Amino acid sequence: MARVQSADPGSRVLPMSQLPRVVVLATGGTIAGASANPASSARYQAATVPVTTLLAAVPALQAVARIEAEQVAQVDSKDLVYSLWSVLAARVQHWSTQPDVAGIVITHGTDTLEETAIFLHLTQACPVPVVLTAAMRPSTSLSADGPLNLLDAVRVAAHPEARGKGVLVVLNQQIHAARDVAKAHTSVVDAFVSPSYGPLGFVQDELVHIARAPVQARKAVLPVPQQWPDVEIIASYAQPGRVAVDAMVAAGVRGLVVAAAGNGSVHEALIAALKDAASAGVAVVRSSRTGAGHVAIPPVADPVGGVFVSAADLNPYKARVLLLLALAQDPGLALAPDRLQALFAAAG
Ligand code: SIN
């Protein structure tokens, strides 16, 4: 891990020694991407530009914070693996307990940012703000969005108002709660939304405005797993087969998240397969493929009541992360849907 102390700046108000100390943990993504063609925002190599170069491209950072940076990884986030989450959690824990660190920024690929965000949200106590940021355009692009996103993320991480809000995500001048945010577009710079509740606030130049706080910010702090159970996602759609569910159960999957229709509705053919999975000791959680809203908890008399767990308002990818962490901590939860439901209700 390269460690970088930022160089001397242009215009700043406070002497550098009085600026808050912010740590940037870089993991790759398009924000660290490069292309031979500045006019292209689609053809580029992600995760190639070192964090030193990304910081040097934003001289305005020098007026905001004393930056220290670590190149924790250099990956395209589609290839995210659990070992990176473990390393990232350890670095967040290390830096967030240093007495003079005001906040932590993590640069990440956009593709799986929402999964890392909820992983950290569920596992980190966050005594200081932890802010993820990213970019939709590579660093070499005309009108690259990464530099302003990085500056805004540092502004938020250094801001006292950001404390106690859990893990945050800053892109396109908006501040989102980690548990709510999702990538909702393949290519535009305003690709990130909080579909159920909207963003927490915004950044405009020096103004960091947080209009609301997530009340679920710190209800569930779960340990980072030593062993990761196999938890997969399947979807409900017209005439689904049961072959995938049966194969996953036979392969030893411990949990299944269903990207169900509407308000958690599962095709009757899939219900039969999933009930067999539950009888075999697999935890089954219903989320919604709609992308927004809350999945209701059905009465016990309902065909899925009391057997399948509702993901509340977590989308399938976030619900999978919570299920992973929950089953890693307590494998017995697979046989106790009521206790698992309580965990989802608390976290969601
Ligand atoms: C990635 O997720 O690492 C590549 C895509 C992106 O950051 O937009």
Side-chain angles (χ1 to χ4, degrees):
M1 283 180 260
R3 192 168 292 179
V4 184
Q5 186 76 42
S6 48
D8 202 37
S11 60
R12 63 175 186 265
V13 181
L14 288 172
M16 184 170 272
S17 60
Q18 289 176 30
L19 290 174
R21 185 178 176 213
V22 171
V23 176
V24 176
L25 304 176
T27 70
T30 293
I31 194 169
S35 169
N37 177 4
S40 172
S41 59
R43 289 182 298 279
Y44 61 92
Q45 181 74 44
T48 57
V49 180
V51 66
T52 43
T53 308
L54 300 182
L55 291 168
V58 193
L61 281 168
Q62 310 301 328
V64 178
R66 284 177 293 139
I67 309 273
E68 215 164 315
E70 289 182 355
Q71 190 75 52
V72 174
Q74 192 62 288
V75 294
D76 187 323
S77 79
K78 74 178 174 58
D79 297 325
L80 192 61
V81 288
Y82 299 145
S83 55
L84 176 54
W85 279 354
S86 300
V87 171
L88 211 42
R91 298 318 292 157
V92 167
Q93 260 157 31
H94 167 77
W95 285 114
S96 62
T97 50
Q98 302 303 303
D100 60 341
V101 169
I104 297 168
V105 169
I106 298 169
T107 61
H108 199 284
T110 61
D111 284 347
T112 57
L113 182 144
E114 68 201 70
E115 294 174 56
T116 297
I118 188 121
F119 164 73
L120 293 171
H121 170 80
L122 292 169
T123 58
Q124 301 304 304
C126 294
V128 299
V130 175
V131 182
L132 284 93
T133 193
M136 292 298 291
R137 295 175 181 158
S139 66
T140 49
S141 176
L142 286 175
S143 197
D145 52 332
L148 184 59
N149 286 348
L150 182 55
L151 178 60
D152 286 347
V154 171
R155 285 173 166 147
V156 173
H159 203 281
E161 289 280 310
R163 284 187 177 236
K165 307 289 189 300
V167 175
L168 300 172
V169 173
V170 171
L171 282 108
N172 200 38
Q173 292 185 253
Q174 292 186 314
I175 306 167
H176 297 269
R179 61 176 307 289
D180 299 341
V181 75
K183 184 175 180 181
H185 198 284
T186 56
S187 55
V188 296
V189 292
D190 60 341
F192 280 77
V193 296
S194 292
S196 295
Y197 310 115
L200 301 182
F202 66 88
V203 187
Q204 191 176 60
D205 298 347
E206 295 78 24
L207 175 65
V208 172
H209 183 70
I210 300 182
R212 68 175 180 90
V215 292
Q216 298 99 333
R218 294 263 47 92
K219 277 190 188 157
V221 177
L222 294 163
V224 175
Q226 301 294 318
Q227 301 285 332
W228 298 78
D230 190 1
V231 175
E232 304 292 343
I233 299 175
I234 56 151
S236 183
Y237 40 73
Q239 200 162 334
R242 58 176 294 156
V243 59
V245 173
D246 290 344
M248 285 192 266
V249 173
V253 73
R254 305 309 312 148
L256 284 171
V257 174
V258 193
N263 194 348
S265 302
V266 182
H267 194 291
E268 58 186 359
L270 209 48
I271 289 179
L274 290 169
K275 280 195 164 172
D276 289 347
S279 300
V282 176
V284 179
V285 174
R286 290 177 311 125
S287 178
S288 175
R289 67 182 209 184
T290 61
H294 192 277
V295 170
I297 300 173
V300 177
D302 188 277
V304 299
V307 184
F308 303 160
V309 168
S310 159
D313 55 5
L314 297 179
N315 74 25
Y317 313 103
K318 289 170 190 271
R320 175 177 177 268
V321 177
L322 176 53
L323 188 54
L324 268 175
L325 297 175
L327 292 176
Q329 185 194 33
D330 181 0
L333 284 170
L335 299 169
D338 49 342
R339 286 201 292 128
L340 192 56
Q341 184 63 75
L343 196 60
F344 269 86

